[in-house]
Amino acid sequence: MYHTLENWIITQYSPALEISDKGINLSESHEIFSCPSGWFLIVNSVLELIIDVSSEVWVTQIEEENGSLLITYTAPSSEDCDYVFGLCDMAKLISQTACEICGQQGQMLQNDNLAARCSVHNELSFNYEETDSFKKPPFNVNKLGKRWGQMISTLYERVLALKNDGSMPDVKFNQVIKENGELCIDYCGGNEVTHGMVDLLLLYSLKIDADTGQVRRRDNYEDLLNL
């Protein structure tokens, strides 16, 4: 991740980062987070929610593994652990369809290594073809926008998988709509893992374009991103 993005994350979210106790000199060039800069908004959203939910959750590593975002953490309480697992699990899945260079909608491609790329940053050696391999949710995602619809399909597929293996109680999605430019998810059931997954999607959706995944809300990191 770019040095300026790393510094911003460390400055903003040091209470949630175990590395903040290591006396990092922000003026020095370093790579603390060994993950692509295109996933900055995903990382940013996860840490923002962790700060909100608990002062006892610490992120110990943020990295790329097999083409996906892997966030490692410690959480003393089981409730916090379940919620943060939902955040990090959903972040991993979102990263698989977010270009590692720019963050826009993409797909997982394979050359020598797995990598998530959009059509713009696809290298010539990759065979880029958009696919729709998700299980269809029992509601219409077409009006949400292409990127948001893709993320909701990912959520639905993951919830089904966790329910089927006994890791999550039944979840009923009552309504998933785009209202006043924002994503709204009304559901019942599930557990704290579900809560974390949905919270991450809602927060992340506020920061990206519904169709392309391009940065929409820049907040106070406006000068950092040139996507």
Side-chain angles (χ1 to χ4, degrees), residues 88-144:
C88 297
D89 188 58
M90 202 68 237
K92 178 180 179 179
L93 295 173
I94 292 174
S95 73
Q96 293 171 359
T97 51
C99 178
E100 63 178 31
I101 296 176
C102 70
Q104 296 191 57
Q105 182 182 15
Q107 71 174 75
M108 189 71 75
L109 304 169
Q110 183 168 9
N111 187 18
D112 294 330
N113 299 296
L114 287 170
R117 296 289 177 87
C118 65
S119 56
V120 174
H121 293 111
N122 170 31
E123 297 174 0
L124 295 178
S125 54
F126 284 112
N127 181 21
Y128 186 93
E129 293 182 3
E130 292 194 11
T131 59
D132 185 9
S133 60
F134 299 107
K135 290 182 173 64
K136 296 294 184 181
F139 42 80
N140 187 359
V141 298
N142 294 330
K143 294 183 179 180
L144 299 177

Side-chain angles (χ1 to χ4, degrees), residues 61-80:
Q61 184 66 45
I62 301 171
E63 60 188 328
E64 180 273 333
E65 184 177 86
N66 296 324
S68 302
L69 174 62
L70 179 64
I71 299 177
T72 307
Y73 59 91
T74 60
S77 77
S78 58
E79 185 173 300
D80 285 347

Side-chain angles (χ1 to χ4, degrees), residues 1-61:
M1 184 176 286
Y2 293 139
H3 176 52
T4 52
L5 298 182
E6 287 188 333
N7 285 349
W8 191 90
I9 288 174
I10 292 168
T11 301
Q12 293 292 317
Y13 302 115
S14 58
L17 297 170
E18 190 173 66
I19 59 172
S20 64
D21 295 329
K22 296 181 180 179
I24 295 171
N25 184 348
L26 298 185
S27 66
E28 295 178 355
S29 177
H30 48 75
E31 184 178 295
I32 303 302
F33 312 122
S34 54
C35 72
S37 295
W39 295 341
F40 168 77
L41 285 182
I42 305 176
V43 173
N44 165 267
S45 299
V46 170
L47 292 173
E48 186 175 336
L49 288 166
I50 287 177
I51 289 286
D52 287 343
V53 74
S54 176
S55 61
E56 297 184 334
V57 177
W58 295 278
V59 169
T60 57
Q61 184 66 45

Side-chain angles (χ1 to χ4, degrees), residues 161-182:
L162 292 174
K163 174 190 171 185
N164 290 338
D165 71 12
S167 301
M168 182 179 291
D170 190 30
V171 179
K172 180 182 178 182
F173 291 95
N174 301 314
Q175 190 176 47
V176 180
I177 60 173
K178 184 178 182 181
E179 186 173 40
N180 298 323
E182 295 186 5

